[in-house]
Amino acid sequence: MAEIRLEGVTKIFGSKVRAVDQVDLTIADQEFMVLLGPSGCGKTTLMRVVAGLEYPDGGRVMIGDRDVTDLPPRRRQIAMVFQSYAVFPHLSVFENIAFGLRMGRIAKPEVQRRVGAVAELVQLSPYLERYPAQLSGGQRQRVAVARAIVMEPAVLLMDEPLSNLDALLRLNFRAELKKLVAELRTTTIYVTHDQVEALSLGDRIAVMREGKIVQCGTPMDVYDRPHTEFVGSFIGNPPMNFVRGRLERANGASRIAIGEQRLAVPAAIAAKLENELVVGIRAENIEATPDAATDALQAQVQVVEPLGSHLLLTASVGDQELKIQTRTDFPAQPNAPIWLRPESDKIRWFDPRTGTEVSLT
Ligand code: ATP
C-alpha cells in the first residue's frame, strides 16, 4: 500500500521564496498524479520533498502509514526519473539497468532475471549490450525509466521525463509510458508544465501556482470545470475564452451585455455578482453560423486558421476576441459577420473581482 499523503508541506528558500506553500495532497495507492503548472510554481520542489532531496520547512510527508519526513531518500522506497537521462555513459544498457540492484548486493541470477524482465517491458531487450552513445534519445530515456522501475519502488517520481525528446518521439513515448505505468500499478507523481501531457497521462492533475495547489481533479474535470480563470487559460489549446461584460437586471431576468450584444445569465449566478461578470467558454463549445440569428451573439471573423481536422476562427465581439472551433467546410471569411451560440451547459461564469468561478450551487 503506497498512498502518499502530504500535509501542510511548506518549503521556503532563503528568507522569502515560498516555493511550496502549505500543500495538502493525497495520492491514492497506484494512482498516477500529475503536478502541472508554469515554470517556477514549485512542482519540482514539491516532488523533491517527497523524494527526500529537500527537507520541508513545515508539514509532513507520509508514504503508506509511515511518516517519512525525516527519512533519507534511500529509505523511502522511491525511484526517480529526471529530465536529463542521467544514464552512465561508460556502462552498457544492461549494467545501467542493473546498477541499483548491484549496489543493493542482489544475487547475480536475480539481477539477470529482473533486468531481463524490465528490459522486455520497456522494449530494450535487443540493446542490452550497447552503450548509451549508441542509442537514440528515446531509447536512452527508456534506460532511465528501466533503471528506476527495476528497483520495484513503492513510489515512482518523474520530473519532465519527456522534455528532451523531439515532438514525435514524445508522442509515442507518452503512450508507451502510460501503458507501462498502468501495468506496473506503482503510485506515481509526474511533474510537467505541458498541459497536453498532463491531460493524457494523469489519473488526476494537481494544478499549481505560486507554491499552492489551485485545483486538483481528473483531466476532464479540470478541463471542463476550471475553478479559476488561471486554470481555464493554462489548460487547453487554445485556452478557454473569457469574455467580460456588464450585468443587466430587468423584469426579473438577468443578462450580460457584451458591447451591443446580450446573453441570458441564470438568476442564481446573477445573485452572486455585482456589476460585471466573465463568461468562460471553450472554442469547441461555441456553435457558429454564417446566418443572422437573433438569439446569438453577432461577431466578426478576424482570422481563419485551417488546422487539418478543424478550422480555428478568431472573431471579435465588440472589442473582445474569441476563438471558435468549426468544421473545415464552414464558410468563414475574414471580416465577414458570424453568429455565435455558446452551448449553455458548457458556459462557466467567473467573478472578475477574484477570477474565480461562480457556481449555480
Ligand atoms: P520549472 O518548470 O521551471 O522546473 P518548477 O515549477 O519545478 O519550475 P521549482 O523548481 O520547484 O519550480 O521552483 C520553485 C521556486 O523556488 C522558484 O521560484 C525557484 O526559483 C525557487 N527555487 C528552487 N530551488 C531553489 C534553490 N535551491 N534555492 C533557491 N531558490 C530555489
Side-chain angles (χ1 to χ4, degrees):
M1 206 5 219
E3 174 191 271
I4 303 168
R5 211 162 68 243
L6 308 178
E7 294 174 353
V9 171
T10 297
K11 178 71 197 175
I12 303 167
F13 290 112
S15 57
K16 52 177 180 291
V17 180
R18 295 184 86 85
V20 175
D21 195 3
Q22 287 283 338
V23 164
D24 293 311
L25 181 67
T26 300
I27 301 151
D29 182 34
Q30 302 185 9
E31 188 174 27
F32 194 123
M33 174 67 77
V34 176
L35 302 180
L36 173 73
S39 185
C41 70
K43 314 176 287 292
T44 296
T45 305
L46 184 56
M47 195 166 91
R48 287 173 59 84
V49 169
V50 176
L53 299 170
E54 298 286 357
Y55 190 77
D57 293 290
R60 61 178 193 158
V61 179
M62 307 282 297
I63 297 181
D65 45 20
R66 279 198 313 167
D67 182 341
V68 299
T69 318
D70 293 317
L71 293 185
R74 68 190 149 74
R75 293 193 45 210
R76 295 188 182 199
Q77 261 200 296
I78 49 153
M80 291 188 77
V81 181
F82 296 97
Q83 173 176 352
S84 52
Y85 312 127
V87 292
F88 301 118
H90 60 288
L91 295 182
S92 67
V93 169
F94 184 98
E95 288 304 329
N96 260 288
I97 300 175
F99 188 81
L101 300 175
R102 298 231 196 269
M103 297 309 272
R105 299 188 192 289
I106 306 286
K108 266 189 185 168
E110 176 69 1
V111 171
Q112 197 78 32
R113 188 190 65 75
R114 279 167 67 174
V115 173
V118 168
E120 196 65 35
L121 207 59
V122 299
Q123 298 166 31
L124 280 175
S125 306
Y127 309 105
L128 287 173
E129 301 311 314
R130 288 204 193 171
Y131 285 84
Q134 300 167 306
L135 300 175
S136 70
Q139 289 165 338
R140 267 195 295 252
Q141 192 56 306
R142 273 189 238 162
V143 176
V145 172
R147 213 173 54 181
I149 62 181
V150 80
M151 302 306 292
E152 296 173 2
V155 174
L156 189 57
L157 304 176
M158 294 196 256
D159 192 352
E160 310 241 5
L162 307 185
S163 58
N164 280 353
L165 307 179
D166 69 39
L168 186 62
L169 250 181
R170 221 180 148 121
L171 197 70
N172 292 338
F173 198 60
R174 193 174 77 203
E176 263 181 45
L177 196 63
K178 182 162 183 160
K179 187 159 163 265
L180 180 69
V181 174
E183 277 168 22
L184 290 171
R185 298 171 158 270
T186 307
T187 310
T188 301
I189 303 181
Y190 186 101
V191 163
T192 183
H193 60 263
D194 181 330
Q195 48 99 21
V196 179
E197 221 164 271
L199 290 169
S200 135
L201 290 170
D203 290 323
R204 282 191 301 158
I205 302 174
V207 186
M208 292 188 69
R209 185 185 197 188
E210 293 170 3
K212 291 184 187 295
I213 292 178
V214 290
Q215 188 167 352
C216 183
T218 64
M220 286 325 292
D221 198 40
V222 285
Y223 182 84
D224 281 339
R225 284 179 289 280
H227 293 167
T228 57
E229 289 185 45
F230 168 78
V231 174
S233 52
F234 193 75
I235 294 185
N237 184 17
M240 185 176 249
N241 291 300
F242 295 104
V243 185
R244 201 177 168 123
R246 219 170 356 95
L247 192 58
E248 293 180 345
R249 298 177 176 92
N251 308 326
S254 306
R255 299 185 306 172
I256 172 174
I258 306 162
E260 298 302 308
Q261 315 283 326
R262 303 288 182 276
L263 197 69
V265 176
I269 298 289
K272 294 180 183 170
L273 290 158
E274 279 189 8
N275 302 322
E276 294 215 301
L277 77 162
V278 171
V279 176
I281 184 83
R282 295 231 174 247
E284 69 272 24
N285 299 132
I286 302 175
E287 187 202 335
T289 161
D291 307 317
T294 51
D295 64 335
L297 293 176
Q298 187 182 349
Q300 188 179 36
V301 177
Q302 301 293 335
V303 185
V304 180
E305 294 174 83
L307 295 179
S309 60
H310 62 272
L311 294 184
L312 186 63
L313 310 183
T314 305
S316 56
V317 179
D319 59 357
Q320 304 188 67
E321 284 197 338
L322 283 166
K323 302 276 188 200
I324 305 121
Q325 189 175 314
T326 68
R327 289 165 43 151
T328 48
D329 56 2
F330 186 84
Q333 294 296 335
N335 300 319
I338 185 177
W339 282 263
L340 308 174
R341 270 191 211 95
E343 291 172 34
S344 54
D345 61 331
K346 296 288 187 181
I347 294 179
R348 321 303 317 171
W349 309 96
F350 295 88
D351 187 336
R353 292 171 301 179
T354 56
T356 55
E357 190 190 13
V358 182
S359 63
L360 278 166
T361 49

